[in-house]
Amino acid sequence: MGTDIHAFLEHRDNRGSFSGRSDDPAFFFAKFALARDYLLFDALAGVRSRQFSSDDRGFAPLHEPRGIPDDLSLDVAWEYYDLIIEDGYPDPRFWPAPGCISMEEAETRPRVDRHFISQTMFVGTSPPRSWSLVVKRNWFAASWLYLGEVTASLQHHYVSLGNLSWESRVLLASLSNIEEHLGHERARLVFWFSS
């Protein structure tokens, strides 16, 4: 069984905030389907080297996984979390039904993975409300990095761009182009792994 990465690019708004306002999510740019590029995975989060004995491991990651950002975009939240339903489904424009689970199913997941999200999109007169979330099964080592941090992580592991898969190079070129257009640390890579 191999390890896969779930990779997304998000960017800040013109005011310099990923979330725009404190109650708004970040702006989603793109989702990337990457080949299993274990050089990249190890440089970003050390996820592959942790399976080996300490004598066989490479370098520890320069930036340990930080967890998922608090101001995550709604598009990325749909991928990372399941929404816990207690009394009916939310408006599907806010959260798609396939990403909803019962409280009974949620109870089988670790409590440390519980989060909350406010429903900022609602229809008509229905009031905004908060929903409980739980991380989907088998997701691990969630984190986010700016372009400079990704570059430093690759250098720390002595990985050149030429050694990465072409899909990984497209991802990094996209992140670089967004930052070049919007400014320093105005874009980030959000990622996690599954196996």
Side-chain angles (χ1 to χ4, degrees):
M1 179 185 290
T3 301
D4 294 302
I5 191 170
H6 304 264
F8 305 82
L9 296 183
E10 295 180 321
H11 65 88
R12 297 178 192 257
D13 66 8
N14 291 333
R15 293 172 285 186
S17 168
F18 275 104
S19 61
R21 297 189 321 257
S22 61
D23 59 342
D24 283 342
F27 295 96
F28 171 69
F29 180 76
K31 174 182 178 179
F32 287 81
L34 299 179
R36 289 182 173 157
D37 195 336
Y38 295 136
L39 289 174
L40 177 68
F41 298 1
D42 211 32
L44 293 179
V47 296
R48 291 292 290 184
S49 66
R50 291 183 179 155
Q51 299 172 4
F52 302 115
S53 71
S54 59
D55 293 338
D56 295 331
R57 284 188 196 146
F59 296 106
L62 187 58
H63 303 280
E64 286 292 328
R66 300 172 169 159
I68 214 75
D70 289 334
D71 60 350
L72 189 66
S73 68
L74 193 56
D75 295 82
V76 179
W78 289 336
E79 299 279 341
Y80 187 71
Y81 294 113
D82 282 328
L83 186 137
I84 302 168
I85 55 169
E86 297 177 37
D87 59 355
Y89 287 90
D91 185 300
R93 292 172 291 178
F94 169 67
W95 205 274
C100 297
I101 62 170
S102 68
M103 181 56 81
E104 292 76 29
E105 170 67 19
E107 290 297 329
T108 68
R109 313 255 178 108
R111 279 210 97 45
V112 70
D113 291 339
R114 294 288 174 85
H115 300 274
F116 299 92
I117 189 168
S118 294
Q119 180 178 356
T120 56
M121 176 185 236
F122 51 94
V123 179
T125 59
S126 61
R129 62 174 285 190
S130 291
W131 297 83
S132 297
L133 301 169
V134 64
V135 176
K136 292 184 186 287
R137 288 196 184 279
N138 303 318
W139 287 174
F140 63 95
S143 195
W144 58 272
L145 296 170
Y146 296 120
L147 176 63
E149 294 170 323
V150 173
T151 302
S153 295
L154 291 171
Q155 291 169 348
H156 177 72
H157 282 261
Y158 301 101
V159 176
S160 68
L161 289 178
N163 293 103
L164 297 177
S165 69
W166 71 269
E167 297 97 333
S168 295
R169 292 193 307 267
V170 168
L171 167 78
L172 297 176
S174 298
L175 182 58
S176 177
N177 287 336
I178 296 168
E179 185 165 296
E180 183 179 315
H181 179 73
L182 296 178
H184 181 66
E185 294 188 352
R186 300 279 302 265
R188 67 184 175 198
L189 169 63
V190 177
F191 59 93
W192 60 87
F193 300 88
S194 61
S195 55

